């Protein structure tokens, strides 16, 4: 089977954990599992990564990337969609060479105002300016990174990678597996 797709009306954290344990991922309010992805007329093997958080430690190069971003402020908080985040996503899209969702709203909610997930964000700031955002869903025992993006002006800082590391750190601090 190429893919299983579910569009639940409710998704309690414990059920999300079960899906994540089986390698499912979400797009909008749909949750799916597949071995293949189709982009630009080509078929690619999907590789879904999972980390055992208790075993995860930053490597030397990851520590170096985190230290290089010490001048920025990172806030982890429940996700709230704002015009500022939509603008950052639009700015991000100008610096990439592949197709993605037309808006952050489409990417996360598929144009529907149904909240299924316990969604958090890691927001990166330089002063008051939002320069990066990572979005992730929390279950009871697991978390799933959904998207991370940064302003194109900040590529040299590997800010997207640092945001992912901040997501991992937060999930680990929350006692997730």
């Amino acid at each position: 089977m190429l893919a299983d797709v579910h569009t639940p009306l409710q998704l309690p954290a414990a059920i999300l954990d079960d899906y994540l344990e089986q390698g499912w991922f979400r797009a909008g309010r749909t949750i799916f599992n597949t071995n293949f992805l189709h982009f630009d007329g080509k078929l690619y093997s999907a590789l879904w990564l999972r980390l055992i958080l208790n075993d995860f430690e930053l490597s030397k190069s990851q520590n170096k990337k985190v230290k290089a971003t010490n001048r920025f402020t990172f806030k982890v908080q429940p996700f709230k969609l704002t015009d500022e985040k939509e603008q950052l996503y639009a700015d991000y899209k100008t610096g990439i060479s592949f197709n993605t969702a037309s808006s952050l709203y489409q990417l996360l909610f598929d144009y529907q105002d149904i909240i299924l997930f316990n969604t958090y964000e890691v927001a990166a700031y330089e002063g008051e300016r939002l320069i990066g955002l990572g979005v992730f869903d929390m279950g009871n025992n697991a978390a799933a990174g959904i998207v991370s993006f940064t302003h194109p002006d900040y590529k040299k800082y590997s800010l997207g990678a640092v945001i992912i590391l901040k997501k991992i750190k937060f999930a680990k601090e929350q006692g997730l597996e």
Side-chain angles (χ1 to χ4, degrees), residues 81 85-86 89-90 93 100-111 149:
L81 187 63
K85 293 168 189 164
E86 282 288 8
Y89 185 77
K93 286 180 51 177
T100 186
S102 62
S103 69
L104 188 56
Y105 178 65
Q106 179 196 7
L107 179 77
L108 297 176
F109 301 107
D110 204 21
Y111 299 120
F149 55 94

Side-chain angles (χ1 to χ4, degrees), residues 5-174:
V5 178
H6 294 176
T7 307
L9 297 176
Q10 299 177 36
L11 193 64
I15 303 300
L16 176 61
D17 286 340
D18 291 341
Y19 275 113
L20 295 176
E21 185 175 6
Q22 296 171 45
W24 289 62
F25 187 76
R26 85 131 154 148
R29 54 181 226 86
T30 300
I31 193 157
F32 67 93
N33 190 350
T34 185
N35 293 322
F36 301 98
L37 299 169
H38 188 261
F39 293 106
D40 296 327
K42 295 180 185 175
L43 199 59
Y44 296 89
S45 294
L47 179 61
W48 304 106
L49 302 177
R50 292 178 50 94
L51 294 174
I52 305 299
L53 294 176
N54 287 335
D55 297 341
F56 182 80
E57 297 294 332
L58 292 179
S59 68
K60 287 181 184 179
S61 65
Q62 290 167 333
N63 267 315
K64 186 176 178 181
K65 286 178 184 176
V66 170
K67 286 179 184 174
T69 62
N70 280 344
R71 65 185 264 202
F72 306 126
T73 303
F74 295 88
K75 295 179 184 175
V76 182
Q77 56 205 6
F79 175 78
K80 183 177 179 186
L81 187 63
T82 65
D83 291 342
E84 179 183 36
K85 293 168 189 164
E86 282 288 8
Q87 184 59 55
L88 177 63
Y89 185 77
D91 292 341
Y92 158 74
K93 286 180 51 177
T94 67
I96 60 174
S97 60
F98 55 89
N99 290 326
T100 186
S102 62
S103 69
L104 188 56
Y105 178 65
Q106 179 196 7
L107 179 77
L108 297 176
F109 301 107
D110 204 21
Y111 299 120
Q112 298 184 29
D113 293 327
I114 299 170
I115 306 297
L116 291 178
F117 302 93
N118 182 22
T119 304
Y120 276 71
E121 67 185 33
V122 174
Y125 294 89
E126 182 174 42
E128 298 294 316
R129 181 182 184 199
L130 180 66
I131 59 172
L133 190 73
V135 179
F136 60 105
D137 294 332
M138 301 272 292
N140 289 333
N141 297 312
I146 306 304
V147 66
S148 295
F149 55 94
T150 63
H151 193 282
D153 292 349
Y154 293 84
K155 279 186 180 181
K156 69 180 179 182
Y157 295 101
S158 300
L159 199 52
V162 172
I163 288 170
I164 291 169
L165 295 171
K166 299 281 185 182
K167 291 180 196 179
I168 293 168
K169 179 182 179 211
F170 179 79
K172 194 172 179 177
E173 288 170 349
Q174 301 308 301

